[in-house]
Amino acid sequence: MSEPETTDPDSPTPPSPSRVRFAYALGRFLLTPLARVLYRPHILGRENVPRTGPVIIASNHLSFIDSIAIPVAAPRNVRFLAKATYFEGKGLGNALSRTFFTALGASPVRRGAGQAALDALEQQKQLLEAGEAIALYPEGTRSLDGRLYKGRTGVAFLALQTGAPVVPVGLIGTNEVMPVGAKLPRMHPRATIRFGAPIDVSAHGPASSGRARRLATDEIMAAIHELSGQELAHTYNEVPAHSTIERIKQAIPHERR
């Protein structure tokens, strides 16, 4: 697996580091206590998150609010990638969206396969090399039926290439706090965020090994499963195929990044 040599010229420019630090510090100062008072989440295992140095927080994904719950619950700044459309456009609504996601520690990324996927990995790699904590969802997208889907190997690639430990997270009930399609989160029931013990995946082999990436990803997903208690889907969470070619691609076994 080679590293990407170019970036998408159409990709949005990430906010400057100083702007992100200021916005995120302000966001944590204002949002974290407010969210904890209003929604009273159960937060377990915060001591498992290293306070300094690069770390990958790998979580199951049930709701839009997951990307708020993790930064609110974590004991340190956490960065994650968000759809570029949240940072684009003009007008008050777009400005509020851009400010909100920047305050959460998000960086814009173009989603998709091929070069877009490589660019996303490269952004996350750079954050880790800068000593940041990043959050990602190995399933790739939200689980609409509540089951835990098979993990894609980008999480293992980053961990094996950078040496960053992986902290598994089990989110419970976030899909009930904010179901798909809801405009605002509900006050009840209370969600649970469980941080597991850090995982060192280096024993599985180098990042260049597909087998190492697959075994490391499976170990991470097993830890997430233990924390979340979800039913296992034993398959990937695929976007519905809209053509014969897409259906054929999904049917052919191959490594999913």
Side-chain angles (χ1 to χ4, degrees), residues 84-160:
T85 52
Y86 293 143
F87 297 83
E88 298 172 340
K90 298 178 180 179
L92 179 60
N94 297 104
L96 290 174
S97 173
R98 189 161 48 249
T99 300
F100 175 75
F101 281 96
T102 301
L104 285 177
S107 294
V109 65
R110 298 284 182 194
R111 291 187 176 179
Q115 187 62 46
L118 292 175
D119 289 346
L121 280 176
E122 181 63 18
Q123 280 186 249
Q124 292 169 317
K125 178 173 174 286
Q126 290 174 2
L127 290 171
L128 290 170
E129 289 175 342
E132 301 269 10
I134 67 168
L136 51 79
Y137 306 112
E139 293 171 277
T141 189
R142 284 176 290 182
S143 170
L144 298 181
D145 59 13
R147 295 186 297 168
L148 183 67
Y149 285 82
K150 195 171 182 179
R152 300 167 193 270
T153 60
V155 58
F157 173 75
L158 287 169
L160 292 170

Side-chain angles (χ1 to χ4, degrees), residues 67-91:
S67 295
I68 301 174
I70 292 174
V72 163
R76 60 179 289 186
N77 291 358
V78 178
R79 302 288 301 280
F80 65 95
L81 302 184
K83 290 189 296 185
T85 52
Y86 293 143
F87 297 83
E88 298 172 340
K90 298 178 180 179

Side-chain angles (χ1 to χ4, degrees), residues 37 43 75 136 187 218:
V37 168
I43 304 172
L136 51 79
M187 296 297 180
D218 290 345

